[in-house]
């Protein structure tokens, strides 16, 4: 898609900030307390549902905004600058909305998308498992046919939005692996749209996380969980194709990292202004370097959203690695720059530094991203 067309479909950052100002004010006011409590306040959840932001990735015919990855990345970035925990909940909601749009049947789109667009429902991805590895090739969750339907058994870990979502996109092994050479995911795996009220499904948010503490990231257990054939998203046994299409979309967790990096850079700039050091050559150089790194990370995230180039999937993977690595380093530099203030537990720079570390560990992890990039590069 040409960049001019993408911009035509995606609002500017200024317009987005104005449109969602009421939500952003709530996020800013509640972020520190939410991190301390380790849970998302009802006020934040209500503001998120009523803001209209949840429909950004849903086509207009289903009540959404018809946004592309340029738009959703920008929204995730802005939210991350205020509360990264909410930004990853939003990112997962956008991701599931997009998968239903791309792979869902007409009935599935009619059933799910209007509810996901108007904030009635939140969506979450339940892919990861303890001990399965970041590449999702060795999952233990099974899907077994019983008559015309399916029964799911297993346990998912590190599910963002657990206990908050009304629908989960669950990855399960529905047939024996065929021994293919897939790097991420396995053949014989399928995706299922499973309602939170399905018998046998239970969410547990008792994980005490170091970062992203208000993201409701926890476990989802599936015990003899019955789902109809209509819950199957995409072809049976072809989840790896859906997974591969995710990175082609241009939506990237690098947007979360850019939002964090930008917020931390602004803390350093505010400190310099407060101390009257903005004309000091050493301070100017330091701040200029930070600014350049933030804008470089933002540029590669924008490039991923535009899906330009011969291999958009590689750009998406690179954007996640580059932006999250840069944001980690920016957080460390600003902690040092702030001096003793950066060593106080309650200072927001420390919360954001913990949060950005979590981005590096989210799927695909940065190490797995590097492996995927290497696998697709010419030898």
């Amino acid at each position: 898609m040409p960049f001019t067309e993408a911009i035509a479909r995606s609002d500017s950052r200024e317009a987005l900030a104005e449109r969602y100002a009421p939500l952003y004010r709530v996020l800013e006011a509640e972020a520190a307390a939410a991190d301390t409590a380790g849970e998302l306040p009802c006020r934040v959840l209500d503001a998120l549902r009523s803001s209209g932001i949840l429909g950004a990735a849903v086509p207009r015919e289903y009540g959404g905004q018809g946004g592309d990855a340029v738009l959703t990345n920008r929204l995730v970035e802005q939210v991350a600058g205020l509360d990264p925990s909410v930004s990853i909940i939003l990112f997962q909601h956008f991701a599931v909305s997009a998968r239903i749009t791309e792979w869902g049947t007409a009935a599935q789109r009619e059933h799910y998308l209007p509810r996901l667009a108007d904030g009635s429902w939140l969506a979450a991805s339940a892919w990861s498992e303890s001990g399965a590895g970041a590449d999702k090739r060795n999952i233990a969750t099974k899907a077994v046919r019983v008559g015309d339907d399916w029964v799911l058994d297993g346990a998912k870990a590190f599910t963002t939005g657990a206990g908050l979502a009304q629908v989960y996109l669950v990855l399960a092994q529905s047939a024996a692996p065929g021994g293919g050479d897939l790097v991420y995911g396995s053949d014989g795996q399928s995706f299922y749209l499973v309602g939170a009220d399905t018998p046998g499904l239970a969410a547990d948010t008792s994980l005490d996380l170091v970062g992203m503490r208000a993201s409701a990231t926890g476990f989802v257990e599936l015990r003899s969980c019955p789902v109809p054939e209509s819950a199957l998203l995409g072809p049976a046994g072809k989840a790896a194709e859906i997974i591969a299409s995710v990175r082609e979309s241009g939506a990237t967790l690098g947007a979360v990292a850019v939002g964090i990096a930008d917020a931390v850079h602004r803390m350093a700039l505010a400190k310099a202004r407060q101390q009257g050091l903005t004309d000091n050559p050493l301070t100017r150089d330091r701040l200029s370097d930070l600014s350049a790194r933030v804008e470089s990370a933002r540029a590669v995230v924008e490039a991923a959203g535009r899906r330009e180039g011969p291999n958009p999937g590689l750009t998406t993977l690179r954007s996640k690695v580059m932006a999250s690595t840069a944001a980690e380093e920016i957080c460390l530099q600003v902690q040092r720059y702030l001096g003793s203030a950066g060593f106080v537990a309650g200072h927001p720079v420390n919360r954001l530094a913990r949060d950005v570390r979590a981005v590096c560990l989210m799927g695909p992890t940065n190490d797995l991203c590097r492996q995927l990039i290497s696998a697709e590069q010419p030898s």
Side-chain angles (χ1 to χ4, degrees), residues 3-370:
F3 181 56
T4 52
E5 183 182 344
I7 290 297
R9 291 176 55 192
S10 305
D11 291 320
S12 69
R13 288 184 173 80
E14 293 75 15
L16 293 173
E18 183 177 353
R19 177 185 300 175
Y20 297 110
L23 169 64
Y24 291 175
R25 285 194 292 269
V26 173
L27 297 181
E28 186 173 22
E30 298 287 346
D35 178 77
T36 300
E39 62 182 7
L40 197 68
C42 291
R43 182 186 175 206
V44 172
L45 188 57
D46 291 344
L48 187 66
R49 290 185 184 279
S50 63
S51 66
I53 199 171
L54 293 173
V58 174
R60 295 184 186 277
E61 59 264 37
Y62 297 101
Q65 299 171 34
D68 55 10
V70 175
L71 174 62
T72 55
N73 284 344
R74 288 179 181 178
L75 290 171
V76 168
E77 176 193 329
Q78 290 188 345
V79 171
L82 302 166
D83 189 338
S85 288
V86 178
S87 75
I88 61 170
I89 292 172
L90 187 64
F91 183 88
Q92 294 298 336
H93 180 87
F94 288 159
V96 176
S97 299
R99 301 295 80 73
I100 295 171
T101 298
E102 295 165 2
W103 294 89
T105 63
Q108 286 172 334
R109 292 194 292 270
E110 289 286 350
H111 180 69
Y112 290 104
L113 292 178
R115 294 170 172 86
L116 297 176
D118 68 13
S120 300
W121 286 4
L122 276 175
S125 297
W127 299 14
S128 299
E129 296 182 9
S130 299
D135 57 14
K136 309 294 186 291
R137 284 185 290 183
N138 302 301
I139 62 172
T141 299
K142 305 297 182 187
V144 178
R145 277 198 182 275
V146 178
D148 294 331
D149 299 326
W150 297 85
V151 174
L152 307 183
D153 278 285
K156 296 297 181 178
F158 293 98
T159 298
T160 296
L164 300 179
Q166 281 67 50
V167 60
Y168 296 92
L169 182 59
V170 177
L171 179 65
Q173 196 75 40
S174 58
D181 58 355
L182 295 169
V183 180
Y184 196 1
S186 170
D187 52 3
Q189 292 177 351
S190 301
F191 276 118
Y192 300 86
L193 292 163
V194 185
D197 58 354
T198 303
L201 186 148
D204 176 0
T205 55
S206 62
L207 273 175
D208 189 11
L209 301 177
V210 172
M212 301 292 186
R213 288 178 46 78
S215 62
T217 296
F219 303 97
V220 173
E221 189 172 15
L222 303 147
R223 290 187 180 179
S224 300
C225 198
V227 295
E229 177 71 14
S230 60
L232 185 67
L233 182 70
K238 300 296 184 181
E241 294 182 15
I242 299 177
I243 293 173
S245 74
V246 171
R247 60 178 179 265
E248 298 296 325
S249 72
T252 170
L253 281 165
V256 179
V258 171
I260 293 172
D262 183 65
V264 171
H265 168 249
R266 285 187 277 108
M267 289 178 194
L269 185 58
K271 178 73 170 181
R273 287 170 175 163
Q274 180 186 29
Q275 295 181 326
L277 294 175
T278 51
D279 290 331
N280 178 278
L282 180 60
T283 300
R284 283 205 314 268
D285 289 350
R286 214 167 174 180
L287 293 174
S288 295
D289 285 345
L290 289 176
S291 176
R293 297 206 67 183
V294 172
E295 289 305 317
S296 296
R298 179 174 282 134
V300 75
V301 167
E302 285 277 315
R306 294 194 301 269
R307 290 176 284 175
E308 293 179 340
N311 192 330
L314 278 182
T315 304
T316 303
L317 291 169
R318 289 167 177 151
S319 72
K320 199 258 184 179
V321 175
M322 186 269 185
S324 57
T325 300
E328 266 200 304
E329 294 169 356
I330 290 168
C331 285
L332 180 59
Q333 290 181 44
V334 173
Q335 284 172 314
R336 291 171 174 166
Y337 177 72
L338 294 175
S340 57
F343 200 65
V344 176
H347 196 286
V349 71
N350 295 308
R351 169 171 56 85
L352 294 174
R354 287 187 277 109
D355 288 347
V356 81
R357 179 57 184 154
V359 178
C360 298
L361 298 173
M362 290 175 187
T365 65
N366 280 8
D367 284 345
L368 181 56
C369 282
R370 295 182 180 101

